Amino acid sequence: MAKRDYYELLGVSKDASPDEIKKAFRRLAVQYHPDKEGGSEEKFKEINEAYEVLKDEAKRKRYDQFGHAGVGGNGGGDGNPYAGFGGFGNGQEVHFDFGDLGLGDIFSSFFGGGAGQQQRRQSRGRDVETQVEITFEQAVFGTEAELNLNLEDTCQHCKGTTVEPGYELKTCDQCKGAGQVVNVTRTIFGNIQQASICPKCSGRGKIPDKICSICHGKGTQRKVQDIALKIPAGIDDGAVIRLREKGEAIANGPKGDLYVNIRVRSHKKFTREGDLILSEEKINMVDAALGTEIEIETVDGLVKMKVPAGTQSGTDFKLSNHGVPHLKSSSRGAHIITLIVETPTKLTKRQQELLDEFKQNDKHGFWR
């Protein structure tokens, strides 16, 4: 299926300013975010891909001139649906609040959520973002990592209920269990009623008979957590792994998610292009002319490869099934080797004589 026009996806004109593009993306990101009821991960990825191109002046210029072919067809998002929300560094966890304040609260504040309509604060812990760096080989074959993160975890004393063991929750005496309170403001137009979250019970409608003596009613405790991470074979630099409910805890609700951004260290010899591994090998001009067999360094170890007589510098050779595994598949790409024929810069007198003799007896026009 053909890709949709990036400007059309964001609902902006081709002469839209960077600020207009940013505003359009943020509006659509809220509308289609996967964590929102009715959201769409596929749509979210599409609009993020469009934004990744149009926010970059150079990429936008290439896109305007060549279309999707000018940006490689993928917008430079590296398969990361969360790239549009900015980066992080130093391997530290970064917290963001998509789930802490329900998206419904945002909409109700814009569209007149009055008494009886204001939604309660969503009971879900904060999402957490962190980074793991792996080697080129680990990205190819997969690996496991142990994450040590300092996070809010469920209080083990009260099990996240905020109530001291042996006591119970009771109806909030301020909101009478409604979870919200109504404030009346007198204006020149008359009395205006406005509903808001109950400050005493935080919208739960209940409060503890006696708060937990360990977490003091918070329901969580901050501590270092060890989290096992399985990184699949074939993962690429910039990919994001989502671990559901491995983020921070919240009282009386599920944990948030953990997003792990994968960084792959560059290799001294290999580069990667999709499922291909690329490298160069050097041979001397005599071996190139007469043909030979050489050993090629691959991620699987040394592999012998025949070089036919008369091979020219810059010739590519393919080693099938020595590239990167496809995600969720046992098949692999190829390893492409580019041969570089080296011309000697220092010759002995005898070598010069032999080459000159070869040149004089060249019947096939090799030197012409």
Side-chain angles (χ1 to χ4, degrees):
M1 182 177 10
K3 282 179 173 287
R4 286 183 59 190
D5 180 80
Y6 287 152
Y7 292 102
E8 181 184 339
L9 275 169
L10 295 183
V12 296
S13 64
K14 290 190 175 182
D15 58 355
S17 67
D19 189 55
E20 289 172 330
I21 290 172
K22 182 186 291 186
K23 288 179 179 178
F25 167 71
R26 288 180 174 175
R27 173 177 55 80
L28 291 171
V30 170
Q31 181 179 351
Y32 292 108
H33 193 277
D35 286 345
K36 176 185 176 294
E37 185 177 354
S40 168
E41 185 169 354
E42 182 178 354
K43 187 73 173 179
F44 186 75
K45 287 180 180 180
E46 283 185 337
I47 62 173
N48 183 76
E49 179 180 311
Y51 181 62
E52 285 296 299
V53 170
L54 299 185
K55 76 174 183 178
D56 185 288
E57 184 178 351
K59 290 180 182 177
R60 183 178 178 181
K61 183 178 179 181
R62 293 200 307 271
Y63 177 73
D64 289 343
Q65 185 174 0
F66 301 111
H68 294 290
V71 290
N74 61 11
D78 299 321
N80 179 5
Y82 306 98
F85 289 100
F88 50 90
N90 304 320
Q92 300 299 312
E93 62 265 27
V94 176
H95 307 276
F96 48 97
D97 295 314
F98 292 129
D100 197 34
L101 177 63
L103 289 169
D105 292 334
I106 298 175
F107 289 114
S108 64
S109 66
F110 283 129
F111 300 113
Q117 294 181 340
Q118 186 173 7
Q119 299 187 25
R120 295 185 181 185
R121 192 174 297 271
Q122 186 175 347
S123 296
R124 183 176 180 274
R126 290 200 299 178
D127 292 337
V128 176
E129 190 174 12
T130 191
Q131 177 176 305
V132 168
E133 187 176 77
I134 59 177
T135 66
F136 188 92
E137 289 83 359
Q138 287 173 329
V140 171
F141 296 112
T143 187
E144 294 184 356
E146 189 78 18
L147 305 179
N148 306 109
L149 302 178
N150 188 15
L151 303 173
E152 289 290 339
D153 196 13
T154 303
C155 174
Q156 294 303 304
H157 187 64
C158 68
K159 309 303 180 186
T161 64
T162 73
V163 184
E164 181 72 16
Y167 293 84
E168 297 180 350
L169 288 168
K170 64 181 180 179
T171 301
C172 175
D173 55 3
Q174 185 167 341
C175 66
K176 311 303 180 185
Q180 59 183 12
V181 293
V182 178
N183 298 310
V184 179
T185 305
R186 291 184 178 181
T187 71
I188 59 173
F189 302 105
N191 292 341
I192 296 178
Q193 291 185 339
Q194 184 177 15
S196 60
I197 294 171
C198 176
K200 189 167 185 177
C201 67
S202 299
R204 293 166 57 193
K206 292 183 178 296
I207 55 176
D209 253 337
K210 182 179 180 181
I211 62 172
C212 174
S213 58
I214 301 299
C215 67
H216 306 292
K218 189 178 180 182
T220 63
Q221 291 177 291
R222 197 161 193 85
K223 68 176 185 179
V224 175
Q225 299 181 46
D226 298 325
I227 301 172
L229 174 68
K230 186 175 182 180
I231 301 174
I235 199 164
D236 206 350
D237 182 64
V240 174
I241 298 176
R242 179 182 186 178
L243 300 180
R244 293 186 179 276
E245 296 193 15
K246 293 296 184 180
E248 292 202 327
I250 193 173
N252 298 290
K255 290 184 176 181
D257 297 333
L258 173 62
Y259 295 90
V260 184
N261 191 295
I262 303 299
R263 293 297 180 195
V264 181
R265 291 199 293 270
S266 58
H267 195 277
K268 64 180 181 179
K269 187 176 183 68
F270 305 136
T271 57
R272 176 177 175 178
E273 190 174 291
D275 63 357
L276 299 178
I277 292 178
L278 311 176
S279 67
E280 292 182 350
E281 290 292 339
K282 297 179 179 179
I283 60 172
N284 62 59
M285 67 177 192
V286 176
D287 285 337
L290 300 178
T292 186
E293 185 177 75
I294 60 175
E295 285 189 330
I296 301 296
E297 182 183 346
T298 74
V299 290
D300 301 301
L302 294 177
V303 174
K304 289 185 177 181
M305 185 184 79
K306 290 185 177 181
V307 179
T311 294
Q312 301 298 302
S313 186
T315 302
D316 290 333
F317 291 84
K318 182 175 74 171
L319 295 178
S320 299
N321 298 315
H322 285 286
V324 179
H326 302 134
L327 286 173
K328 301 181 180 179
S329 171
S330 58
S331 62
R332 295 174 63 178
H335 184 154
I336 305 297
I337 302 100
T338 301
L339 284 188
I340 305 299
V341 179
E342 291 188 306
T343 302
T345 56
K346 295 181 179 180
L347 297 172
T348 65
K349 185 176 181 181
R350 178 56 180 157
Q351 287 172 331
Q352 288 176 335
E353 291 173 350
L354 289 171
L355 284 176
D356 188 59
E357 182 181 344
F358 174 77
K359 181 179 179 180
Q360 298 301 324
N361 291 279
D362 178 21
K363 297 180 180 180
H364 301 287
F366 178 81
W367 295 96
R368 297 174 190 169

